[in-house]
Amino acid sequence: MIRLVPDHSARIQRTEKVPFTFDGVALMGCAGENLAAALMQAGVLHLRNAPGDGAPRGAFCMMALCQECVVFVDGQSVESCRLTVSSGLVVKSRR
Amino acid sequence: MLIDEQGQAGGQVWRAKDRSILSAPATPESRSGDNLRERLAASGVRQMTDTRVWQIERQGEHWVIHTLRNGAAGRLHSRAVILATGAREEAQPVRGWTTPGVIGLAGATALFKQSIRLPGRASVVAGAGPLVFFVASEIRRLGGTVAAVVTPNTRADWLARLPSMVARPDLLWRGGRWVADLMLAGVPIYWGHAVKSVSGDDQVTGVTLCRLAADGTPLPGDIGIAADSVCLGGGLAPSTEAAQLAGVAIRYRPELGGWVSEAELDGSTAREGLFLAGDGCGIRGAVAAELHGQIVARTALRHIGQASASDPALERAYRRASRFGEAMTVLSALRADPIGLATPDTIVCRCESLTRRTIEVEIESGAVSSNAVKSGQRAGMGPCGGKYCQSSVARLIALHENRALSEIAPPTPRPPIRPVPVSALAGDFDYDDLPMPKPAPL
Amino acid sequence: MSENHDIAVIGGGIMGCAAALRLASGGMAPIVLDRGDLGQGASGVNAGTLSLQIKRVRLMPYALKGHEEWARMGDAVGFRRTGGYTLAFTEREAELLTERQTLKAEAGAPIEFVTNNQILTAEPNLTRRVLAASYCREDGYANSSLTGQYYRGRLREASVPYRERCAVTSITRDTQGFVLHTGGPAIKARRILLAAGAWLKPVAAMLGVDLPVDARINTVSVTERMPPLLTTVIGHATGLLTMKQKGNGTILIGGGWQGRGTPQEGRGEVTADSLIPNLSLAQFALPELGQARVLRSWTGFEANVPDFYPLAGELPGVPDAFVLGCVRGGYTIGPYIGRLMGEFILGHSPEMPVFDPGRDFEKDAT
Ligand SMILES: Cc1cc2nc3c(=O)[nH]c(=O)nc-3n(C[C@H](O)[C@H](O)[C@H](O)COP(=O)(O)OP(=O)(O)OC[C@H]3O[C@@H](n4cnc5c(N)ncnc54)[C@H](O)[C@@H]3O)c2cc1C
Ligand SMILES: Cc1cc2nc3c(=O)[nH]c(=O)nc-3n(C[C@H](O)[C@H](O)[C@H](O)COP(=O)(O)OP(=O)(O)OC[C@H]3O[C@@H](n4cnc5c(N)ncnc54)[C@H](O)[C@@H]3O)c2cc1C
Ligand code: FES
């Protein structure tokens, strides 16, 4: 099939994968990758529950404004789209 | 001193890659961004990245910029400040738009540029203007599948904009290639359509589309599409909060993205030593933003007493770029009734999970300003500070009260400009050192 | 075209609205005018603390009555009677606490001194560094952001007309009474009640009266939702901290720290030099607050006259004109003193004395 936009996926090289956890679940992510992106890549989209109706929510704006992707790291709430993955990172949800 | 909350300079359009990317094929955006960062590094401009500005105050002859970096608060004093805070993305509330797997359309570009990741395995890409084709094309470039492209614009809308686009044959060519590639790949493009609802519980499973009438109202005949992710765009709106907190008024300019900060072309504002550049004073696109930055820098230099003549050629180039940018902004707002697709039980305020019905009941009970709806129902009191509901709330008020959008100001912005941990502000302190004023009379 | 009313109330804060409701129930036909939305002034942005421990001694009987009104308004205004602790961390603060709370208890507030053990049992998340504390079971809070919504509903029920975005810019007289000029059609009224909060001075000046009204600019902040940390209202011996956790988990922090700006300029600014010590004090009292993120800080204008007692009575020298405002703790006392003012204007003898706006402010009003 003719592609006018080439497929670059095979040409992207990333750092090695390191372990981190989300609510105790062991996950792997590339060292230095944006945490929201890494969680998405690992299939973890449901990051918190909404107040009121308790419905699942996940990263939305990807630019650190909407606060939907907020998680707990070191006891502090932070936007996961402003954090990066490091080996042994412990992430907890606000669920 | 350049301050930015991102890890590296570049802003939205030239956002830098994560450290996790060892190598990747260059794109026009990555090239321009890398070039910019190289020039910045060579220029000796001091940079404070990963630094959020949470408040700006005037103290005597200076502006005080309050920052937050690595969990610690700091302050900088300066005679001149340029606010170039860019834009936020508007969103169109539809049923299910809060489902995990729905991300912003412009937000998706951040994911591509920074992490070079896809939002899912099969994505519906929806929104107006050129961005929707850029995002769909990037998904294809990164090896993903576009389940459908959905845009409220019709082919006729695009044709009508051609005259303003011939000034930028490069962009026209690039855009044409995106569309042609999608067509060759058999990706369905729904012109004149919008996403009406998103299904899925803790992850997107599909979307429902509908065709739009010329005024943006939905027409009968639903189309269902399976997908695990949605990139949903509602256009861009200037980020005005920082300027407003510094005392700059806003004005309604729909052709520039909605409420924009009042500034002259050269960036000067009603506040001394405070200048505005880029998207924050109207969405005019990346090319115009760069030129505007150069113009405004000259104004700021003059303010601090350094000779820097204004450059008519620069201003002409900026005007030309603005025309193109404005045409795209208008296109992005065309045929999109941003509230028309929200059903009564659609969530409008994400932070507080408030539905359209709740907000309408509040309006009917007499809350006919953005501030009144905010006070009564907390729409705008949540962590995002109203960034993602204020336009919808204003539209609902306008609809019910039969008033123009220009009469319905957004809620009063409040500091901090971004959420700030109490511990960061308090820092380490000795109780006895707290500057306690004298207690009130008995 | 103009309309006629028995009385026009200028200012739709808690004072103006409460008075208008009493006037309507007493048979008068009032109209309420506000240049913004109802309850967007001090009445809608205050910290909502209903605490007898921070009320002025002489105003205690009014505050006690105020608490009864709030209990009646109940859920519609987010009222909670939680009890409240006032804390002292140093010897000097402990002395201040003992001296002040003793006088307030004598004035009728059910305030008692408590031991550290009692506090830590009730509020285990508070700092261990409390030196002395008092408790009042009557204390609690209401949600001041609901002021506008609540009074719009009550005024509608009582068929009292109100106009929002209707600033009174000048006042003239005709044979029937007063003519109020606004951006729109003029409004005529036999009497007027000035209840313009921190803007009383310019409004009284429209009638040629110089009221010595000044304004403080108080700061309030709120955090994101937190797990349960507090169940009562927390205060500080100096009054420089009020803190409560709302039902939704957010923590509201006040204490009267001063921002920048004047009512004339219309815009108040939060200054870091006040906000930071305010939050530091709060974190000192409740260490886990450090983990919370502040979402919003704002300021509001609180009016006062030199003796810090209310203006509630006839506007000196202008027959049929009345004034109500400058009440310290005016959110707590507002619904009650508004009612008293209504009774006064209706010609009934009010249950408790009002406060003559023509008094000598330099003299100690006690
Ligand atoms: C998510 C997103 C993606 C976009 N993608 C494209 C694209 O691919 N192509 C295109 O042509 N246009 C894109 N646009 C439009 C684009 O923003 C503009 O054309 C251009 O980037 C405007 O430049 P600017 O410098 O005015 O703003 P921006 O590039 O947005 O720069 C603003 C900068 O200010 C920083 N900032 C804002 N507030 C604070 C604060 N309080 N403290 C510290 N730093 C702060 C931000 O981190 C950002 O780096 C996008 C817009 C958005 C919102
Ligand atoms: C930040 C803050 C925190 C506080 N915390 C507490 C607390 O915790 N507990 C407590 O008991 N008290 C508290 N107070 C005090 C209390 O809020 C006030 O005493 C009370 O709300 C005053 O009510 P008001 O109706 O007199 O004034 P406002 O509520 O200010 O109402 C005056 C109204 O007049 C209108 N107006 C002005 N000029 C005109 C004009 N020309 N034409 C038409 N309308 C006009 C204004 O728009 C405004 O709505 C606090 C005050 C502030 C500012
Ligand atoms: S996705 Fe919006 S703040 Fe992170």
Side-chain angles (χ1 to χ4, degrees), chain B residues 52 54-59 66 73 75 244-248 271 351-352 362-378 380-385 401 403 414-416 418-427 429 431-432 434-442, chain C residues 37 39-40 44-45 55-57 89-90 92-93 96 99-100 103-104 129 145-146 149 152-153 156 162 164-165 223-225 236-240 248 250 253 257 260 267 269-273 275-277 279-281 283-284 289-299 308-309 328:
Chain B
R52 286 183 138 173
W54 63 268
Q55 170 72 317
I56 299 169
E57 293 179 59
R58 182 82 180 168
Q59 272 178 15
H66 295 279
R75 49 178 85 183
Q244 282 179 273
L245 290 171
V248 178
R271 301 298 314 266
C351 294
E352 299 290 324
E362 187 66 19
I363 295 168
E364 278 157 18
S365 78
V368 293
S369 73
S370 301
N371 279 330
V373 171
K374 175 176 167 183
S375 297
Q377 290 293 345
R378 296 185 54 82
M381 288 194 188
C384 90
E401 294 288 296
R403 274 158 61 199
R414 307 290 199 191
R418 299 283 188 273
V420 183
V422 172
S423 57
L425 292 185
F429 65 94
Y431 184 79
D432 297 323
L434 288 177
M436 305 274 262
K438 160 168 133 320
L442 185 64
Chain C
D37 296 322
Q40 293 282 334
V45 301
K55 292 299 164 303
R56 301 200 68 185
V57 170
F89 300 125
T90 65
R92 203 186 59 79
E93 289 166 9
L96 191 71
E99 178 199 317
R100 292 195 157 195
L103 287 170
K104 293 177 195 205
R129 294 181 55 182
S145 5
L146 297 177
Q149 184 198 60
R152 267 194 294 271
R156 283 181 175 204
Y162 64 83
E164 299 181 298
R165 283 168 297 285
T223 71
E224 63 193 331
R225 289 174 158 84
H236 187 254
T238 58
L240 289 164
N248 65 10
T250 61
I253 301 156
W257 291 74
R260 190 188 297 113
R267 212 174 72 90
E269 275 177 68
V270 173
T271 83
D273 290 342
L275 179 65
I276 290 175
L279 296 178
S280 303
L281 181 56
Q283 184 191 307
F284 185 87
L289 188 67
Q291 293 180 5
R293 296 183 307 166
V294 182
L295 294 187
R296 274 175 299 124
S297 299
W298 62 92
T299 57
F308 286 88
Y309 284 107
R328 241 197 123 70

Side-chain angles (χ1 to χ4, degrees), chain B residues 4-5 11-13 51 53 84-86 106 109 113 236 278-279 285-286 289 418:
Chain B
D4 203 291
E5 68 176 320
Q12 297 302 351
V13 67
T51 305
V53 173
T85 49
T109 70
K113 291 171 195 169
L236 301 177
D279 272 3
R418 299 283 188 273

Side-chain angles (χ1 to χ4, degrees), chain A residues 24-46:
Chain A
V25 178
L27 301 171
M28 297 295 281
C30 296
E33 178 158 288
N34 179 280
L35 178 60
L39 285 165
M40 214 178 264
Q41 186 64 22
V44 179
L45 296 183
H46 175 182

